[in-house]
Structure formats: C-alpha cells, structure tokens
Amino acid sequence: NSKLRHVEKDVLIPQIMRDRAKELCSDKVQAFTKCCQETGLLMVVKCRQENTALKDCLVGYYSDPSFYEECKAEYLKQREEYRATGIKKKRQKLTPSV
C-alpha cells in the first residue's frame, strides 16, 4: 500500500529531501560554515555569496519533482522494511571529507 498520510507527505518525505539535499550540496554547506566561522558577526555581509550558492543548490533540489519522487520511493522502501521487521532504520549520513 503506497498511499501516503498527511504527515508523511508534509513532514517525513520533506525531511528525507532536506537531509539528502544537504548531503548533495555538502561542498556549499562547508563553504558557508567555514565563512561563518572565520567572519563571526560580519557573516551576514561577508558570507552573502556562499549563502546564495547554498540556497540555490538546496532550492534546486527541493523544487525538482523527480528528486521528490526519488525521496518518496526511499521513504516507502523504509516504511515497507519497518512494517515487515518492526525495526526502524536510521538514514546513513555521508561523512564530509575534511
């Protein structure tokens, strides 16, 4: 049964999308984080370019219908495994290379 509840469509699948987009945009996340750490209180002004690049990357994924379908399929697979086993699987996070 692949029918989705409200919470699945509006909360759980978007959470997978956010996590995956952060992983896929990790270079921009790192650049923005590094800029913020280096500039302190002036980050609003000094890190504008890094912030824009990060937002553009994330929004690009959030607004991509095929990316939504990919994340929905991942969620349905996790839900099916959970229903079959009763064991909730944690998403593996990519570790950023330093």
Side-chain angles (χ1 to χ4, degrees):
N1 179 6
S2 64
K3 202 157 167 52
L4 294 171
R5 295 173 306 163
H6 167 73
V7 71
E8 292 172 316
K9 277 191 275 196
D10 295 346
V11 178
L12 300 175
I13 293 171
Q15 182 61 53
I16 290 175
M17 291 177 75
R18 280 191 296 276
D19 291 347
R20 291 210 44 225
K22 281 183 196 166
E23 290 169 2
L24 294 166
C25 298
S26 66
D27 57 332
K28 289 161 186 66
V29 170
Q30 287 176 1
F32 179 66
T33 302
K34 184 176 180 218
C35 180
C36 290
Q37 289 169 342
E38 290 172 356
T39 57
L41 294 174
L42 296 173
M43 69 183 171
V44 174
V45 177
K46 298 230 179 202
C47 301
R48 197 172 286 151
Q49 190 175 350
E50 290 82 353
N51 189 26
T52 300
L54 174 56
K55 275 190 198 167
D56 289 348
C57 184
L58 294 173
V59 169
Y61 284 109
Y62 298 158
S63 59
D64 180 354
S66 63
F67 184 67
Y68 174 84
E69 290 301 322
E70 199 178 301
C71 293
K72 178 175 138 184
E74 181 180 331
Y75 171 77
L76 289 172
K77 184 173 177 248
Q78 288 174 6
R79 185 178 78 173
E80 189 179 320
E81 287 173 11
Y82 174 73
R83 287 179 176 175
T85 65
I87 300 168
K88 188 169 184 164
K89 185 180 175 194
K90 288 197 178 243
R91 284 197 79 245
Q92 281 188 324
K93 299 219 182 248
L94 296 178
T95 53
S97 55
V98 178

